[in-house]
């Protein structure tokens, strides 16, 4: 199944990105790292967005929502790097990966129907995060630059930022087009990061060898986003967004292998519970999209909106017949 392979590849790419973020952010200034990573991602996305994006479909409201998604993305990625700089991946990734739960809560606030299965999945996520948090109290101090509670607080801010990014980005995509929305959001996020860098009188001063790695991270993020976006035209495209949302599991496995971050059995239990809940939310969202195509999905990918969500509204705006997605 090609869509499934696209999603798994995107999850692995994002896992490598987060592994590198954990490695490079420890003891480093965050803003210079973010400037290079987000800036490179913008450069990689720029020609694709201008060549393949439907800029005529963009309205003023869509552009404003895309800008709002960029502000939220700046918060999300900034606090992601901060959290990774403070604590091991096994503590941070399950919390950040729980953003689909917050996306669901946004849907509830907007009056959208939520099933009992959704609430069971949310309960599993909350229980899993609680297990991870309690188990972290018994961790050795190695690998921590702060207490687990502080690191998880930053991770929660990151999850909230990603949830807001998708809420604004999906609405912007429904009113416009996905590639222009993605580019506008990334450019706004870059502008915010650069402004903060200048305000703090920082400089782009990573070690020379880090520039190439940071540029690679930006390209990896853009490539993963491109895979999930491209999967929108494939059969059963919803599986790409579901599988890509499990990037946190891959990050934890990579960190255990390459960074030697030990994960105790009780922590594996909490991690498995969190991502089982996330997968359940994603599969139920996929089932609803297949049935009636609701405007929001709890399985949104962290890089941007799911292309299948907005195809009806975009075709209608062009004067096409609003049939099912292809």
């Amino acid at each position: 199944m090609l869509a499934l392979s696209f999603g798994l590849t995107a999850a692995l790419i994002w896992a490598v990105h987060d592994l590198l973020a954990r490695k490079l952010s420890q003891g480093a200034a965050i803003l210079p790292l973010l400037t290079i990573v987000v800036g490179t991602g913008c450069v990689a996305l720029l020609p694709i967005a201008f060549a393949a994006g439907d800029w005529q479909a963009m309205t003023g409201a869509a552009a404003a929502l895309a800008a709002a998604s960029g502000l939220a993305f700046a918060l999300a990625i900034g606090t992601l790097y901060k959290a990774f700089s403070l604590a091991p991946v096994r503590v941070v990734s399950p919390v950040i990966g729980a953003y689909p739960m917050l996306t669901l809560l946004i849907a509830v606030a907007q009056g959208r129907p939520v099933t009992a299965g959704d609430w069971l999945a949310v309960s599993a996520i909350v229980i899993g995060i609680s297990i991870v948090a309690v188990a972290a109290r018994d961790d050795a101090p190695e690998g921590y630059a702060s207490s687990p509670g502080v690191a998880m607080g930053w991770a929660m801010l990151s999850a909230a930022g990603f949830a807001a990014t998708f809420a604004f980005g999906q609405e912007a995509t429904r009113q416009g087009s996905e590639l222009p929305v993605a580019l506008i959001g990334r450019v706004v996020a870059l502008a915010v990061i650069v402004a903060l860098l200048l305000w703090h009188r920082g400089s782009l001063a990573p070690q020379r060898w880090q520039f190439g790695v940071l540029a690679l991270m930006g390209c990896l993020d853009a490539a993963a986003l491109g895979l999930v976006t491209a999967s929108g035209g494939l059969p059963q495209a919803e599986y790409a967004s579901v599988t890509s949302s499990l990037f946190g599991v891959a990050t934890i496995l990579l960190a255990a292998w390459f960074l030697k971050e030990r994960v105790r059995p009780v922590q594996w239990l909490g991690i498995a519970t969190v991502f089982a809940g996330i997968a359940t939310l994603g599969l139920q969202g996929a089932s609803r999209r297949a049935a009636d195509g609701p405007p929001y999905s709890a399985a949104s990918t962290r890089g941007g909106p799911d292309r299948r969500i907005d195809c009806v509204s975009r075709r209608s705006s062009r004067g096409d017949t609003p049939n099912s997605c292809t």
Side-chain angles (χ1 to χ4, degrees):
M1 190 182 302
L2 193 56
L4 185 66
S5 65
F6 274 30
L8 289 173
T9 303
L12 181 59
I13 290 173
W14 271 318
V16 173
H17 170 277
D18 286 358
L19 182 75
L20 294 172
R22 165 64 177 162
K23 182 67 175 178
L24 297 182
S25 63
Q26 296 178 70
I30 301 297
L31 289 173
L33 304 182
L34 288 175
T35 301
I36 298 173
V37 171
V38 178
T40 305
C42 287
V43 171
L45 184 60
L46 187 67
I48 301 172
F50 275 103
D54 186 3
W55 290 90
Q56 293 182 344
M58 290 297 292
T59 64
L65 288 165
S69 75
L71 294 174
F73 181 67
L75 170 67
I77 194 168
T79 49
L80 179 146
Y81 274 61
K82 181 66 175 179
F84 278 131
S85 74
L86 297 177
V89 170
R90 65 178 178 271
V91 174
V92 173
S93 279
V95 179
I96 296 175
Y99 66 81
M101 176 184 70
L102 300 177
T103 304
L104 181 70
L105 296 179
I106 291 173
V108 172
Q110 294 172 334
R112 303 185 186 281
V114 177
T115 67
D118 290 328
W119 289 120
L120 287 174
V122 168
S123 299
I125 293 170
V126 172
I127 291 171
I129 290 175
S130 300
I131 293 172
V132 171
V134 172
R137 296 177 182 176
D138 298 326
D139 280 350
E142 290 81 9
Y144 285 95
S146 182
S147 69
V150 171
M152 293 181 77
W154 285 107
M156 289 177 186
L157 276 177
S158 180
F162 281 121
T165 299
F166 305 139
F168 288 123
Q170 288 173 355
E171 182 61 31
T173 300
R174 290 215 326 276
Q175 297 189 30
S177 178
E178 68 272 4
L179 285 175
V181 166
L183 181 60
I184 292 171
R186 294 301 174 102
V187 169
V188 169
L190 177 61
V192 170
I193 293 167
V194 171
L196 289 173
L197 181 69
L198 295 175
W199 185 54
H200 287 283
R201 298 182 180 179
S203 62
L204 296 177
Q207 298 179 26
R208 183 174 300 178
W209 67 270
Q210 290 182 335
F211 277 96
V213 177
L214 293 168
L216 173 63
M217 292 167 66
C219 292
L220 287 174
D221 189 43
L225 170 61
L227 279 172
V228 179
T229 301
S231 70
L234 299 175
Q236 296 179 305
E238 58 272 10
Y239 288 106
S241 61
V242 173
T243 53
S244 66
S245 69
L246 301 178
F247 64 90
V249 175
T251 308
I252 294 167
L253 292 173
L254 290 177
W257 182 264
F258 290 104
L259 302 183
K260 308 303 180 184
E261 293 187 359
R262 294 181 64 251
V263 184
R264 290 180 284 117
V266 66
Q267 292 172 319
W268 278 122
L269 173 62
I271 290 165
T273 303
V274 170
F275 288 103
I278 293 170
T280 301
L281 278 180
L283 290 172
Q284 291 192 125
S287 297
R288 285 193 293 269
R289 285 201 301 277
D292 56 11
Y296 287 102
S297 164
S300 307
T301 63
R302 87 177 196 178
D306 185 343
R307 181 176 178 263
R308 288 180 66 89
I309 294 171
D310 73 307
C311 63
V312 171
S313 62
R314 285 191 290 106
R315 288 182 178 179
S316 182
S317 69
R318 296 174 190 164
D320 298 334
T321 303
N323 295 323
S324 59
C325 298
T326 58

